[in-house]
Structures are given as structure tokens and as C-alpha cells.
């Protein structure tokens, strides 16, 4: 699977999954995954004729806790989805690490504060 569209946005290779794979992992129809992307519960990257979602956005029981709220704060602040993806996978010395890793390790409050500061 080519990751060139993702690499172009986030600046390094990350694991991605198709909408069908997300649907299978979450136990929902593929159309529900598309709806989740439109509603900002997930972010996807369009590559050719398919959508790809960073695998880091998913955990065993669903979407990473705090991700939808973080996406919403940044969208409300005027950030485009590509900019949000880039930020989620960029190293942040103050966390330390990437915001997505902080969300995955239950440090969502810190990430959301940084997102709110960026959005205003």
C-alpha cells in the first residue's frame, strides 16, 4: 500500500488503514466510517480513489479517546484537515513526543490545551 499522500502531509511514514479495515476493526459499516470522517471523529487522507486513516487513531475498543474533541477544536480554529494531521504527528518537545502519542497514552487534556492555544 502506497503511503505517499500520508508521507507528504505528515512528513514521515506512518501506518495507514483503508475505510474497510477501519470498519472491520470498529465493527461498523463502511458508510459509518465515512460519516465519522465528515463529522470530525476521525481524519482521513484521500489517495487516488480511496481514503486512508492513520492506524494510530484506532485502539482496540474504538477511536483514540480525545481525538474527536481535538479535531473539533482545531477545525473550529480554522485549521484544515491536512494541517491537523501534520500537527498530530509532529514532535512537540513540551509533551514530549507527538500529540497523537500523548492522546494514546491518556494525556488528552494536555493535547487539547495546546490545540486550544493554537486555535486562538
Amino acid at each position: 500500500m502506497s503511503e505517499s499522500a500520508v508521507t507528504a502531509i505528515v512528513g514521515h511514514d506512518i501506518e495507514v488503514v483503508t475505510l474497510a479495515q477501519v470498519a472491520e476493526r470498529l465493527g461498523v459499516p463502511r458508510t459509518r466510517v465515512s460519516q465519522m470522517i465528515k463529522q470530525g471523529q476521525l481524519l482521513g487522507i484521500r489517495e487516488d480513489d480511496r481514503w486512508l486513516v492513520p492506524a494510530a487513531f484506532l485502539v482496540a475498543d474504538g477511536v483514540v479517546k480525545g481525538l474527536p474533541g481535538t479535531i473539533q477544536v482545531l477545525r473550529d480554529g480554522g485549521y484544515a484537515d491536512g494541517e491537523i494531521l501534520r500537527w498530530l504527528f509532529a514532535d512537540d518537545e513540551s509533551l514530549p513526543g507527538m500529540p497523537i502519542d500523548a492522546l494514546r497514552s491518556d494525556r488528552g487534556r494536555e493535547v487539547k490545551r495546546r490545540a486550544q492555544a493554537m486555535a486562538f
Side-chain angles (χ1 to χ4, degrees):
M1 178 182 314
S2 170
E3 295 179 352
S4 60
V6 178
T7 302
I9 292 172
V10 300
H12 52 87
D13 286 336
I14 59 170
E15 180 186 355
V16 293
V17 291
T18 65
L19 294 193
Q21 291 169 317
V22 174
E24 184 178 322
R25 286 187 185 188
L26 299 180
V28 299
R30 186 179 176 277
T31 54
R32 174 66 183 124
V33 177
S34 296
Q35 185 180 29
M36 291 171 75
I37 291 172
K38 287 178 188 167
Q39 293 173 341
Q41 296 170 349
L42 276 176
L43 287 178
I45 300 121
R46 182 106 176 134
E47 184 171 86
D48 299 324
D49 61 345
R50 64 185 175 168
W51 282 89
L52 302 173
V53 173
F57 290 173
L58 306 173
V59 291
D61 59 346
V63 176
V64 170
K65 181 181 174 186
L67 180 63
T70 302
I71 292 168
Q72 191 61 53
V73 165
L74 291 169
R75 278 184 173 176
D76 289 351
Y79 286 83
D81 288 355
E83 294 169 318
I84 297 169
L85 280 166
R86 190 174 298 114
W87 181 75
L88 285 166
F89 288 94
D91 283 324
D92 183 334
E93 292 178 17
S94 67
L95 282 173
M98 297 183 291
I100 188 61
D101 291 337
L103 286 172
R104 292 180 62 84
S105 63
D106 205 22
R107 292 184 289 145
R109 192 172 295 167
E110 296 172 44
V111 174
K112 199 165 187 178
R113 267 185 276 190
R114 284 167 180 77
Q116 288 170 331
M118 285 179 43
F120 297 105

